[in-house]
Amino acid sequence: MYIAKEIRKKSIAEYLLYMWQIEDLIRAYGCHLPLIEREYISKFADYTDEQKEEEADWFGNLIRMMNEEGCREQGHLQINKVILEDMADLHQRLLQSDKFPYYNAQYYKVLPFIVELRSRNKRADETLGDEGEIETCMNALYGKMMLELQHKEITPATQAALKEITTFIGMLSDYYVKDRDEGLKFDDDMQL
């Protein structure tokens, strides 16, 4: 909870990746709060007992939501889906505006990688729904994070693609935070 709050202030993309990791962590512990408390939360040596209790309450609420929303085995919580949708909406507004040429340039630089990833994902899983471009990018970044945690090799071509995707999502995340904190102007009369 405390880590999530700090990350969310700085980068919505990093926050979303963190929350996806928390969903997977909860699944790894079988959605069993006492086990999470004993094996995970208790290891936070710099947390007070009160902070550990608050962290346990937060995990308990996430477990409850995962059970209620049917994502105990896979998928994402609705609160995380909404953030992804917000990012995708902002992405579309940035692309439609003439005021963000660097963002547009980075998007067109990364677009071939997005197309390739979507094509691969569709071939690998015929039941896969149509995920949006931002979700494709976030899934790629999450996949990279998982491969790194498992100490698996990432090919140079994939690393190059992921570097561009990281830059692109970083820009989107920066605009998201700026819009949240200050508001972005998309034209002279209208503010988002």
Side-chain angles (χ1 to χ4, degrees):
M1 174 182 80
Y2 295 106
I3 295 169
K5 283 182 179 180
E6 286 305 308
I7 294 171
R8 188 174 183 147
K9 289 177 191 174
K10 295 183 256 179
S11 170
I12 199 65
E14 287 180 31
Y15 170 79
L16 190 57
L17 292 172
Y18 177 78
M19 290 304 296
W20 287 359
Q21 189 175 19
I22 292 296
E23 291 170 343
D24 281 345
L25 181 133
I26 289 170
R27 290 182 188 110
Y29 283 106
C31 296
H32 191 66
L33 184 58
L35 189 58
I36 293 170
E37 288 178 291
R38 186 175 65 245
E39 306 266 329
Y40 184 71
I41 297 171
S42 69
K43 308 289 188 223
F44 296 170
D46 56 338
Y47 279 28
T48 66
D49 287 342
E50 183 180 327
Q51 287 173 314
K52 288 178 183 178
E53 284 179 32
E54 289 175 357
E55 194 78 12
D57 287 345
W58 182 67
F59 270 93
N61 286 330
L62 293 174
I63 291 168
R64 180 186 48 76
M65 288 187 291
M66 288 173 74
N67 286 325
E68 289 174 358
E69 295 176 21
C71 58
R72 186 179 171 104
E73 301 295 323
Q74 65 182 10
H76 298 297
L77 288 167
Q78 189 62 34
I79 56 173
N80 296 330
K81 289 178 184 178
V82 168
I83 291 169
L84 189 61
E85 289 171 12
D86 289 348
M87 290 174 68
D89 288 345
L90 178 59
H91 164 68
Q92 288 303 317
R93 290 182 176 175
L94 290 166
L95 287 180
Q96 292 169 1
S97 175
D98 294 337
K99 294 192 173 197
F100 305 95
Y102 295 112
Y103 182 83
N104 276 272
Q106 187 61 36
Y107 168 70
Y108 285 108
K109 191 173 184 181
V110 86
L111 185 58
F113 302 124
I114 295 171
V115 171
E116 176 63 26
L117 284 168
R118 291 172 90 180
S119 174
R120 279 190 208 167
N121 290 346
K122 205 139 189 128
R123 284 193 306 262
D125 186 355
E126 293 299 322
T127 64
L128 189 68
D130 287 331
E131 66 182 28
E133 294 171 333
I134 302 305
E135 185 174 2
T136 298
C137 292
M138 293 299 293
N139 283 333
L141 295 176
Y142 190 73
K144 174 189 177 212
M145 189 171 71
M146 292 296 103
L147 289 173
E148 288 173 344
L149 286 172
Q150 298 167 18
H151 304 289
K152 292 190 176 175
E153 188 176 333
I154 302 172
T155 66
T158 301
Q159 286 179 0
L162 288 168
K163 183 178 178 188
E164 295 300 331
I165 290 170
T166 299
T167 300
F168 170 65
I169 290 297
M171 289 177 81
L172 176 59
S173 187
D174 290 346
Y175 281 125
Y176 186 99
V177 170
K178 184 172 181 164
D179 185 46
R180 178 192 68 207
D181 296 347
E182 304 168 23
L184 290 175
K185 292 187 178 184
F186 286 86
D187 62 41
D188 294 336
D189 300 322
M190 187 173 101
Q191 243 187 342
L192 177 66

